[in-house]
Amino acid sequence: MKKKIVVLSGAGISAESGISTFRDSNGLWENYRIEEVATPEAWNTNPELVQRFYNLRRKQVMEVFPNAAHVFFRELESHYNVVVVTQNIDDLHERAGSSNVIHLHGNIRYAKSSGPKQEAKYYPIEGWELSMNDLCDDGYPLRPHVVWFGESVPEMERAVETLSDADYLIVIGTSLNVYPAAGLIHYVSNSCEKLIVDPKVSELPVDSSFTSLAKSAVESVPELKKFFGIDSLRS
Ligand SMILES: NC(=O)c1ccc[n+]([C@@H]2O[C@H](COP(=O)([O-])OP(=O)(O)OC[C@H]3O[C@@H](n4cnc5c(N)ncnc54)[C@H](O)[C@@H]3O)[C@@H](O)[C@H]2O)c1
């Protein structure tokens, strides 16, 4: 049976594809304060601004491509059972070919109802623009399928379950600042081998049980290939 690798990714893995993280720009996301654009209160106060913000993020996501790190995690599937648990709302893991991706914070290419009933019904968005006139079946405007700060994270349970029997955990491109996602690193078993990739790894809240690679996601690929014996294996 193939060994299981769980990848916990964050905004940093998509940085080299051209999507900026927010910790690296002083807590701002593309020059917006999080409270202005990524909370239920923001939607209640100024839904047009929130819609516009995510329309621009979606447009940007559609203009960029997966990088060598996204592709590496797809390649690993030839030799390992790989589950990607991502905090990212972009779809670059899927576009690189990863077949098992859990989006903790949603997927910007999809929409859902902004009504009070939070059903798990998601609609693919044609193109990059969602308008306030695009209504859901229940009559409420469609909003981006993203989990805002202050909202619950329905995929947490599935993520915890998948981590519990992982043989390896690779944490990549996340500041481990956003909860509950950051707490996931504590759900692996004692025998799980843990790696963390981040240029600022020394500043991250992990202990010495992790093998640290102080590199960018793309720069870490040769080392990860060596670690997992990918160069010497054939699919
Ligand atoms: N691409 C996206 O979908 C995107 C982008 C920005 C923010 N977000 C959202 O904001 C939240 C941010 O939390 P987070 O922890 O994911 O990101 P974060 O912005 O808090 O932290 C990013 C981390 O990535 C590291 N990093 C920067 N460049 C890197 C590179 N080239 N290779 C590897 N690591 C690199 C940084 O040192 C930092 O530790 C997430 O929940 C996410 O939903 C998503």
Side-chain angles (χ1 to χ4, degrees):
M1 205 169 73
K2 285 178 176 173
K3 290 206 166 188
K4 181 172 178 182
I5 300 178
V6 176
V7 179
L8 177 63
S9 69
I13 194 173
S14 298
E16 285 155 296
S17 290
I19 305 180
S20 45
T21 68
F22 70 63
R23 299 293 153 189
D24 293 319
S25 43
N26 297 322
L28 295 178
W29 194 357
E30 297 286 346
N31 297 324
Y32 289 87
R33 283 186 307 114
I34 292 303
E35 309 83 68
E36 269 181 304
V37 290
T39 61
E41 292 74 28
W43 177 264
N44 292 335
T45 313
N46 193 344
E48 288 82 9
L49 173 72
V50 175
Q51 201 76 284
R52 206 160 49 241
F53 171 77
Y54 284 102
N55 281 342
L56 292 175
R57 303 286 68 75
R58 190 174 305 109
K59 184 167 186 281
Q60 184 184 33
V61 163
M62 291 171 74
E63 285 167 356
V64 303
F65 296 93
N67 62 50
H70 297 103
V71 171
F72 169 68
F73 292 123
R74 187 253 293 153
E75 286 172 356
L76 267 182
E77 290 187 12
S78 307
H79 312 286
Y80 294 87
N81 168 16
V82 182
V83 183
V84 176
V85 177
T86 188
Q87 295 169 77
N88 293 344
I89 57 172
D90 67 53
D91 61 350
L92 294 178
H93 281 296
E94 285 91 341
R95 282 165 54 201
S98 282
S99 52
N100 204 350
V101 184
I102 298 176
H103 277 272
L104 291 170
H105 297 157
N107 180 337
I108 197 169
R109 303 291 302 272
Y110 287 78
K112 63 182 179 183
S113 170
S114 60
K117 257 193 168 173
Q118 284 282 326
E119 277 186 274
K121 264 178 99 178
Y122 309 117
Y123 305 87
I125 300 170
E126 289 286 324
W128 60 272
E129 216 168 358
L130 197 57
S131 130
M132 292 307 292
N133 298 323
D134 293 327
L135 303 183
C136 193
D137 306 340
D138 60 8
Y140 287 93
L142 287 166
R143 59 167 263 194
H145 166 33
V146 295
V147 173
W148 288 325
F149 288 87
E151 292 187 316
S152 65
V153 182
E155 288 287 51
M156 269 302 279
E157 218 170 296
R158 213 152 65 91
V160 166
E161 197 185 315
T162 204
L163 276 158
S164 65
D165 62 351
D167 297 295
Y168 300 94
L169 169 66
I170 307 173
V171 177
I172 184 161
T174 171
S175 62
L176 293 172
N177 258 303
V178 177
Y179 279 82
L184 283 171
I185 60 169
H186 303 297
Y187 285 92
V188 292
S189 71
N190 288 336
S191 59
C192 177
E193 204 161 335
K194 299 175 287 187
L195 292 90
I196 184 161
V197 177
D198 196 299
K200 295 185 182 160
V201 73
S202 61
E203 297 171 20
L204 302 184
V206 292
D207 61 27
S208 57
S209 61
F210 277 83
T211 301
S212 298
L213 272 67
K215 292 187 167 172
S216 82
V218 168
E219 285 166 357
S220 74
V221 169
E223 214 157 318
L224 289 175
K225 277 192 173 166
K226 215 164 166 195
F227 185 94
F228 289 101
I230 293 304
D231 283 335
S232 54
L233 294 173
R234 281 169 194 275
S235 37

